[in-house]
Amino acid sequence: DTWRIIHGIDEDFRPAEHGTTTLSDLLAMTDELIAKFSAFSGVIMESMTRTQAFHFLELGRRLERSLQIISLVKNCFIPMPEFPGPIFGTVLEVADSLMTYRARYLANRQLAAVLDLVLTDETNPRALAFQFVQLVEHVEQLPRDQTSPDYAAEQRLAMSLLHSVRLMDIQAIAEVHALGDHEPLERLTAEWESQLPKLAEAISHRYLVHAAPSHQLADISPQ
């Protein structure tokens, strides 16, 4: 099933034999790509056994999505645009949260509400807090020495990320941000951007890097 979806994506994105590709063609292609990626994700979530491979796959996905959300917030809100209304809609659309926002807040778009839905809402699969919750849960499922009383480096990093977003005073940050003080939000995004690669590195170092000692050919004597 997964290979059928991947093959379909490959077939759809072969260059046209004749003529040029227009913007409307690209829009149709990207819409189709979204649908097929959603199908691919659905097959994985519904069919893949919850072994270590699944946890590593999910960790990679949550790390990548976290960085995408942070980049979205930074590029759209730091500094605060002069006319933020259209930007609010764009951020919600990119974060696939526009319908959720309308159901919760109607048409009244405010910075605090947008940041809450995109950053701190643990029930929103597209929010940063949701990614951090998932990171903590999947890190906990990785194999480790159960006799050790200490938390591993990846556990501490994942919990630190989750605590940082849970401790946010989103209303206060939005108020000062709208007045031109970008430091609180900028500091948080910089901290997340620094910590997420460290988490990825800690996981890779513990579970994925198995470097054997090197040997010079001259050191190997013929038998």
Side-chain angles (χ1 to χ4, degrees):
D1 291 337
T2 55
W3 276 114
R4 187 181 302 115
I5 296 170
I6 293 172
H7 179 71
I9 293 171
D10 179 63
E11 289 293 325
D12 289 342
F13 279 80
R14 292 184 182 275
E17 295 182 1
H18 304 287
T20 58
T21 302
T22 65
L23 288 177
S24 60
D25 293 333
L26 288 175
L27 180 60
M29 291 167 65
T30 51
D31 285 342
E32 184 67 21
L33 182 63
I34 290 172
K36 289 188 175 178
F37 275 146
S38 297
F40 181 78
S41 178
V43 168
I44 291 174
M45 295 303 296
E46 293 299 323
S47 303
M48 190 172 181
T49 54
R50 271 38 176 180
T51 58
Q52 294 175 20
F54 175 80
H55 295 304
F56 285 122
L57 181 66
E58 277 293 287
L59 283 166
R61 183 162 71 145
R62 300 305 171 183
L63 285 163
E64 184 178 90
R65 183 169 290 178
S66 296
L67 290 169
Q68 290 172 346
I69 295 169
I70 295 165
S71 177
L72 176 66
V73 170
K74 281 184 59 179
N75 285 288
C76 291
F77 293 136
I78 303 175
M80 189 69 177
E82 185 177 357
F83 302 101
I87 301 298
F88 290 161
T90 299
V91 169
L92 292 169
E93 186 70 38
V94 173
D96 201 19
S97 301
L98 187 58
M99 294 299 293
T100 303
Y101 189 94
R102 288 174 178 171
R104 186 176 301 178
Y105 301 107
L106 301 179
N108 186 21
R109 294 182 183 176
Q110 297 181 355
L111 179 61
V114 173
L115 291 179
D116 173 53
L117 193 58
V118 175
L119 293 180
T120 61
D121 188 349
E122 295 183 23
T123 67
N124 179 14
R126 296 288 179 168
L128 188 66
F130 185 92
Q131 315 312 314
F132 289 171
V133 169
Q134 293 297 306
L135 285 172
V136 170
E137 292 181 359
H138 287 294
V139 164
E140 289 295 327
Q141 296 299 319
L142 298 179
R144 61 178 42 86
D145 183 6
Q146 299 297 332
T147 62
S148 175
D150 300 326
Y151 287 112
E154 63 273 13
Q155 289 177 297
R156 293 195 299 271
L157 286 165
M159 289 187 294
S160 175
L161 286 165
L162 180 56
H163 290 161
S164 70
V165 77
R166 282 178 170 174
L167 291 173
M168 285 180 67
D169 186 342
I170 203 70
Q171 186 66 44
I173 290 175
E175 288 177 359
V176 299
H177 194 80
L179 294 174
D181 183 3
H182 305 144
E183 193 276 334
L185 185 59
E186 194 168 11
R187 174 175 47 80
L188 281 168
T189 55
E191 178 185 347
W192 295 329
E193 282 187 319
S194 171
Q195 294 296 96
L196 283 165
K198 291 179 181 178
L199 174 58
E201 184 178 351
I203 294 170
S204 297
H205 182 74
R206 181 178 293 272
Y207 298 102
L208 304 178
V209 177
H210 303 287
S214 59
H215 297 281
Q216 298 292 330
L217 292 178
D219 296 336
I220 304 175
S221 59
Q223 299 296 324

